[in-house]
Amino acid sequence: IINNYLHGTHKEAVDKVSPSGMHFKDSKRKVDYVLAYHYRKRLARHLPGASSPDPTCGSASLALVSNGGTRKDHAEPQQQDGGQCALQGQPGPPGAEVIELGPLDTLEEEKQLQREEYERNLVEAGLEIEKDPEYKSQGLSFVRIHAPWQVLSREAELLKIKMPTKKMYEITEEGGILKTLNEIWCKLTKPLQPQVPQQENTNMKSLSYPFSREKIYLYNIKDKDTFFDNATRSRIVHEILKRTPTKARNSMGIGTLIANNVYDAAYPLHDGEYEGQNDDMNERKLLYREWARYGVFYKFQPIDLIRKYFGEKIGLYFAWLGLYTEFLIPSSVVGIIVFLYGCITIESDIPSKEMCDQRNAFTMCPLCDKFCDYWNLSSACATAQASHLFDNPATVFFSIFMALWATMFLEQWKRLQMRLSYFWDLTGLEEEEEHPRPEYETKLLQKKLKNKNITTENSNEGEKEKLTWSDRMPGYAANFGLILFMIMLTFSAVFGVIIYRITTAAALSFSTNETTRSNVRVTVTATAVIINLVVILILDEIYGAVAKWLTEIEVPKTEKTFEERLILKAFLLKFVNSYAPIFYVAFFKGRFVGRPGRYVYVFDGYRMEECAPGGCLMELCIQLSIIMLGKQLIQNNLFEIGIPKLKKLFRKLKDERTEPKEMDTNQSKDPQQWDLDYILEPFTGLTPEYMEMIIQFGFVTLFVASFPLAPLFALLNNIIEVRLDAKKFVTELRRPDTVRAKDIGIWYNILSGIGKLSVIINAFVIAVTSDFIPRLMYQYAYSQNGTMHGFINHTLSYFNVSHLKAGTQPENSPFAQDVLFCRFKDYREPPWSQNQYEFSKQYWAVLSARLAFVILFQNLVMFLSVLVDWMIPDIPKDISEQIKKEKSVLVDFFLKEEHEKLKLIESFITRDKEKQKSGTKGERIRAASFCQFNRSQKGHFSSFSSRHTEV
C-alpha cells in the first residue's frame, strides 16, 4: 500500500510541508481527497536495554509517504514483507514490550487491518497515498489521496464526464426587441452583478463531449494537472472510494467503513482559506467575498462559480432559491397594494361603520354561561375594522393572482433548469448506476448467513440475493403505524390547544377585573398561537429524526431511493404539523358552536369556542403570521446559525478530552487545510434547506387570501436565507462531494402539488372563512337599494332570552330586565316563526352560493393555470435551437478531425513507401514514425501506438 518510507535520518524532508496546504510533501501532487481516522496504539511498558521487536521497521520517527522518489533500498524490505512493516503503524521505541491485548486493542487491530487492506486496494486502483506518521499513543491521523492523470482519464471515460473540446461555436442570440431589452437590463443591473471572472467572449461556447482516451486529440488539454478541475478530481476519487471493497465483513466502499468507524470522515479539500489578505485568490475566497457575506445581499448569485465549486446539485438548489426569491418581489408588491387598499377603504366600508355605530344598539347574546353579560356589538368595532384590512374584494383578486404566480414560477423554473442544463452540459445526462447503501449490504449479508444455515440441497444458489418485499414487511408496518401515530399526535396537540383556549377563556371570564374580562379574546388568541408555535417547533425536530429512523428501517437500496423516501415522510409529517392549527382556525372553528339555548359543550360545561364578531379571518391572519414569522426567525435562522456552532464546540471539546496532551514536536505548528476542514461540520444533504423553503412556499400560497403580506415576509426572510446558506456552505461545512443532477428531483412534484392544493384551499378560505359571499349575496339578492346598508342586521338572528336554559342566564346583569331578545351571528328563523331557530332560506342560499363560488373559482384558476402552462414552453426556443445546433457542430467536428487523421496516416504510408523504394527498412521506420508521432501540424494530441492501432 505504501510504496516506500523515509528513515529517521531524513526527518527534515518529512517535516517539510506543502506551502499551500493543498499538496503532498513534494509540493507537486495535489491532494484530491482526505480520509481521517483516530488511532490508538496498544499499551506498552518500557524495559531498559531491550531491543525493538522488529528492527527492520526502523525507528518511531519514520514517516510514510507513497510514490515519492526515495532510495529503493528502503522500499525493498517493506515490499518483501508484503507491506506489513509500513502498515503496522509505528512500533514503539527501542525497549518497548507489547502487553496482552485488551478488547479495545483487539478492535483497534481489526480496524487497522481493514484500513491497511482498503488503502492497499486504493493503490492497486491507481491512486497515490500519503500518510502522517503516528507519533502519539493515540490521536487523529490523515490519509491524503492523489489521483494521477492515468486514473483521472480512465475514470472520466467510465463516468462519461463531458469535457470541453477544442471546438468553439457561436451562440445565436435572439434578435429584435428582446435583444434590446436584454441589453438595457444588463446595463441597469451591472452594479448588481458579482465581480467574478467571466468567460472572455460570452457569445462563444466550447463544444463538450464525454471524455474518451481514444479521442484525446479532440480535447483542449493545455496542462494535464489543471484539465480536470478540483471538483471533478474529487468526484472521480470519491467514485473509486465508493466502489473499492475490503474482504473484512464483506464491506463495499468508504460508506461502510465510515459506518463501522474504521474511518471517521472522508472529504475533498476546500480551496484554501476564505479570509486573509496575504494568500492568493482562490475560488473559496472569491465565493466568500462576492456571495457568502450579508454585505452583498443586493447582488445576484454567481451561479456558475457555485456550480463549479460545489457541483450541479447544490448549484441547482441556489439557482432555484434565487429564482424563488426574485419571484417573491412582484407578489410582495401586489400584496402590499392589496393591504393598502384595505387600509384606504376602511373608512368607506359600510358593514364596519354599522358595527361601530353606537346608535345601532345590537344587544348580543352572552359569550359564556352565567358569568358573561349581554353586550353591545359596537364594542367589537376594532376587530371589525381590522378584519376589513384582509377581508375585502381585493383579496379574491390576490388569490387568483397568487395561483397564477405559482404556475408562472414553476414554468419559469423549468425554463431556467433547461437553460442551466444546456450551459452546464447536463443535456442527455444518464442516470448513473448507484452503489448499494452500507445498511442495505449489512442486511443482505445477514440474510445470506441466515439462508446458509438453513440451506438445503434443493436450493438454487445461482440466483442473486436481494431483499424482497417480505424482508421489508416489518419496516413497512412500523412506518405505517408510526406515521399514523405521529399524525394523531399532531391532531392531539391541536386539540389540546383548543381545550386550553376554551378553559382559559372561561377562567378569564370569571375575573373581577374589568380590563381582563374585556380583553379575553385577545389574550387567549395570542397565548394559544405562541403555544402552537412552540409545539410546532418541538414536533418538527422530533418528526425530522423519526422520518430518518423510519426510512432507515425500510432499508432502501440506494442513496437516491433513501433520500426520496425520507423527503416524502418528513414532508408529510412537517406539513401536517405546520398547517394543522391553521386548518382548524380556517375551516372548523366556530362551525360547531350550536346556538343560544342549545350550545355544544365539551368536558361538561365548557362551550365550544366561536369566531370573533368580525369573523374568523382576522384570527386566521394572526395565527398564520405568528407561526410563519416564528418558524422563519427561530427555526430557519437561530437554529441554523446556533446548532452548527454548538455541534462544532461539542466536537472540539470531545476531541480535546479523548486525546492525551502529549508534546508533539514533530508536527508542523501551522494547521494544514485537511486539519482545518476536519474541524468543520460534515455536509448532510440539501433536504433541510429545501424543506424549510417548501414549507414557506406553502405559507405563501395556501392561505394567502387571509394574509396578503405573507410574500413580503417570505422575501425579507429569503434575502437573509440566501446569504446564510451561502455562508454555511463556504465557511462552516466541509466541502461536499460534487454530484451531477439535471433537476431538483422530487421537490418539483411537491411544489406542483402545493400549487394545485393552494387553489382549492384559497377557494374555501374566500367562500367559507371570509364574509365575501354573504356580502355579495346581500348586495345583489336581499338589499333593497343595492348597497351594503343593513348587512349587519341581515346576518344577525334573534333569540328570545326566556328560552335560555335554566342556570345559564347572566347573573347580576344590570339590564337583564330590559332585554327581551338578544342577537347572534347566524342565518336562523326568529322566535316568532313557526320553525323557530331552524336554518333560514338565506342560510341555504348563502351555502349554495359558497359551494358554487368554490367550483367556479377552482375551475377558472385551474383553466388559467393550464393556459399559462401551455403558453410558456418548457424549453426556451433559443436553447432548443442551440441543442440542435450543438449536435450538428459535433458531427461536423468529428468528421473533420477523422478526415485530417486519415490524411495524416496516408501521408506517413506514402512517405514510408518512398523510403522503402530507396532501400530502407520500411516496416520498422513506418512503425517507428507511426508510434512516435504525438502532435499533428495543427496541435492535436494523439498516441497512435496505444490508441489507434485499428486505424
Side-chain angles (χ1 to χ4, degrees), residues 571-584:
F571 174 73
L572 175 66
L573 292 171
K574 292 191 177 190
F575 181 88
V576 172
N577 184 38
S578 297
Y579 299 119
I582 299 167
F583 268 92
Y584 164 72

Side-chain angles (χ1 to χ4, degrees), residues 900-912:
E900 284 186 6
K901 196 169 72 179
L902 282 168
K903 277 172 68 179
L904 194 66
I905 292 167
E906 281 172 9
S907 69
F908 273 124
I909 291 167
T910 310
R911 198 177 70 181
D912 285 354

Side-chain angles (χ1 to χ4, degrees), residues 434 437 439-440 547-569 684 687:
E434 284 196 77
R437 296 174 64 250
E439 293 81 0
Y440 179 85
K548 191 175 180 185
W549 180 73
L550 286 174
T551 314
E552 281 170 354
I553 62 171
E554 262 188 63
V555 201
K557 185 174 181 179
T558 62
E559 280 298 334
K560 188 183 178 184
T561 320
F562 178 86
E563 193 178 21
E564 284 183 355
R565 291 184 186 180
L566 173 63
I567 287 164
L568 282 174
K569 286 185 193 66
T684 52
T687 303

Side-chain angles (χ1 to χ4, degrees), residues 151-165 207-213 219 227-240 243 307 312 424-430 432 738-740:
V151 174
L152 292 171
S153 55
R154 181 191 73 211
E155 295 297 321
E157 188 172 330
L158 286 171
L159 295 169
K160 297 178 183 174
I161 297 174
K162 282 190 175 182
M163 298 304 292
T165 60
L207 186 69
S208 293
Y209 186 72
F211 189 80
S212 168
R213 287 174 291 176
Y219 303 97
F227 179 63
F228 295 105
D229 60 18
N230 290 352
T232 310
R233 293 174 72 101
S234 65
R235 180 185 163 215
I236 287 169
V237 175
H238 183 62
E239 282 296 323
I240 298 171
R243 68 164 190 255
R307 170 254 176 175
E312 284 77 9
W424 293 353
D425 297 319
L426 299 173
T427 47
L429 181 69
E430 296 172 14
E432 291 173 10
T738 56
V739 179
R740 283 174 83 77

Side-chain angles (χ1 to χ4, degrees), residues 18 20-34 66 127-130 143-149 152 223-234 237 268-272 283 308 674 735:
S18 120
S20 67
M22 299 287 296
H23 293 80
F24 277 14
K25 289 184 171 64
D26 59 10
S27 297
K28 290 175 185 174
R29 288 173 291 173
K30 195 179 284 182
V31 176
D32 295 317
Y33 222 88
V34 173
S66 80
L127 297 175
E128 295 175 5
I129 286 177
E130 180 180 75
V143 178
R144 294 176 288 283
I145 299 168
H146 168 77
W149 171 257
L152 292 171
D223 182 357
K224 286 184 178 181
D225 290 337
T226 57
F227 179 63
F228 295 105
D229 60 18
N230 290 352
T232 310
R233 293 174 72 101
S234 65
V237 175
L269 290 182
H270 275 295
D271 284 2
E283 286 179 357
K308 187 185 173 191
W674 45 87
R735 188 170 183 172

Side-chain angles (χ1 to χ4, degrees), residues 507-746:
L508 291 174
S509 302
F510 302 156
S511 174
T512 51
N513 190 328
E514 181 61 36
T515 315
T516 308
R517 280 206 308 275
S518 60
N519 293 319
V520 167
R521 196 178 293 280
V522 177
T523 310
V524 169
T525 303
T527 53
V529 172
I530 290 164
I531 291 167
N532 262 330
L533 175 62
V534 172
V535 168
I536 285 169
L537 292 175
I538 293 167
L539 287 181
D540 251 5
E541 297 304 312
I542 294 168
Y543 287 169
V546 167
K548 191 175 180 185
W549 180 73
L550 286 174
T551 314
E552 281 170 354
I553 62 171
E554 262 188 63
V555 201
K557 185 174 181 179
T558 62
E559 280 298 334
K560 188 183 178 184
T561 320
F562 178 86
E563 193 178 21
E564 284 183 355
R565 291 184 186 180
L566 173 63
I567 287 164
L568 282 174
K569 286 185 193 66
F571 174 73
L572 175 66
L573 292 171
K574 292 191 177 190
F575 181 88
V576 172
N577 184 38
S578 297
Y579 299 119
I582 299 167
F583 268 92
Y584 164 72
V585 174
F587 303 123
F588 299 103
K589 189 180 177 184
R591 312 272 171 235
F592 311 102
V593 178
R595 60 167 178 81
R598 197 182 286 172
Y599 283 113
V600 177
Y601 291 92
V602 286
F603 296 129
D604 191 31
Y606 291 111
R607 261 161 59 177
M608 281 296 286
E609 57 179 347
E610 51 189 303
C611 292
C616 268
L617 200 75
M618 187 62 210
E619 196 172 328
L620 177 61
C621 174
I622 293 166
Q623 184 102 7
L624 187 69
S625 57
I626 291 178
I627 289 175
M628 181 183 172
L629 294 174
K631 265 181 77 70
Q632 287 187 167
L633 187 68
I634 297 167
Q635 198 173 39
N636 298 8
N637 294 329
L638 292 180
F639 281 12
E640 211 165 322
I641 295 166
I643 288 174
K645 289 190 185 295
L646 287 172
K647 279 183 179 176
K648 189 176 174 182
L649 181 68
F650 176 73
R651 198 165 61 249
K652 191 179 177 185
L653 290 170
K654 188 183 173 186
D655 284 349
E656 283 175 2
R657 194 171 65 248
T658 53
E659 284 190 28
K661 292 187 178 179
E662 298 178 29
M663 290 300 289
D664 193 3
T665 53
N666 295 308
Q667 287 195 347
S668 168
K669 288 179 182 177
D670 294 327
Q672 294 294 296
Q673 192 60 49
W674 45 87
D675 296 306
L676 298 170
D677 284 7
Y678 179 75
I679 298 164
L680 300 176
E681 194 68 23
F683 173 68
T684 52
L686 286 168
T687 303
E689 317 301 333
Y690 272 116
M691 188 66 76
E692 65 187 56
M693 287 296 107
I694 299 289
I695 296 291
Q696 186 206 76
F697 183 77
F699 281 121
V700 167
T701 53
L702 291 179
F703 294 94
V704 79
S706 64
F707 189 41
L709 294 178
L712 175 66
F713 289 118
L715 173 66
L716 295 173
N717 174 77
N718 284 12
I719 288 168
I720 300 165
E721 181 70 27
V722 171
R723 306 302 158 180
L724 182 68
D725 282 350
K727 196 168 189 289
K728 188 168 76 175
F729 273 87
V730 173
T731 67
E732 291 171 12
L733 294 180
R734 289 179 195 152
R735 188 170 183 172
D737 294 303
T738 56
V739 179
R740 283 174 83 77
K742 56 183 177 183
D743 52 39
I744 59 171
I746 199 169

Side-chain angles (χ1 to χ4, degrees), residues 31-229:
V31 176
D32 295 317
Y33 222 88
V34 173
L35 307 179
Y37 64 92
H38 276 90
Y39 64 87
R40 182 177 176 276
K41 294 183 182 175
R42 60 178 75 170
L43 298 167
R45 85 173 165 270
H46 186 71
L47 296 175
S51 60
S52 173
D54 189 358
T56 60
C57 285
S59 71
S61 60
L62 56 82
L64 304 176
V65 297
S66 80
N67 299 337
T70 53
R71 295 176 304 169
K72 282 193 175 179
D73 57 328
H74 288 291
E76 282 166 7
Q78 176 214 337
Q79 285 163 4
Q80 287 167 2
D81 208 22
Q84 289 301 311
C85 173
L87 292 171
Q88 280 172 359
Q90 306 305 320
E97 185 184 317
V98 178
I99 293 178
E100 271 187 48
L101 296 179
L104 274 175
D105 296 313
T106 312
L107 186 67
E108 195 58 43
E109 286 282 315
E110 191 186 333
K111 285 182 185 177
Q112 188 180 338
L113 287 169
Q114 282 191 60
R115 283 196 293 267
E116 287 168 8
E117 186 196 349
Y118 184 67
E119 287 161 19
R120 190 182 300 116
N121 292 343
L122 290 180
V123 171
E124 282 174 11
L127 297 175
E128 295 175 5
I129 286 177
E130 180 180 75
K131 291 183 77 170
D132 283 333
E134 297 173 0
Y135 290 114
K136 300 179 184 178
S137 59
Q138 64 182 61
L140 178 69
S141 191
F142 296 97
V143 178
R144 294 176 288 283
I145 299 168
H146 168 77
W149 171 257
Q150 292 87 344
V151 174
L152 292 171
S153 55
R154 181 191 73 211
E155 295 297 321
E157 188 172 330
L158 286 171
L159 295 169
K160 297 178 183 174
I161 297 174
K162 282 190 175 182
M163 298 304 292
T165 60
K166 294 170 188 172
K167 178 70 177 173
M168 300 280 285
Y169 68 97
E170 192 176 357
I171 300 169
T172 51
E173 291 184 339
E174 290 184 39
I177 192 163
L178 283 173
K179 188 179 180 182
T180 314
L181 287 171
N182 189 39
E183 284 173 358
I184 294 166
W185 174 250
C186 287
K187 282 178 184 175
L188 289 172
T189 57
K190 198 173 182 183
L192 306 178
Q193 297 294 341
Q195 302 298 310
V196 294
Q198 297 286 344
Q199 190 181 325
E200 291 174 13
N201 190 352
T202 51
N203 292 338
M204 299 296 287
K205 184 181 184 292
S206 193
L207 186 69
S208 293
Y209 186 72
F211 189 80
S212 168
R213 287 174 291 176
E214 283 189 356
K215 296 183 174 64
I216 202 162
Y217 56 87
L218 298 176
Y219 303 97
N220 191 16
I221 305 174
K222 291 174 184 172
D223 182 357
K224 286 184 178 181
D225 290 337
T226 57
F227 179 63
F228 295 105
D229 60 18

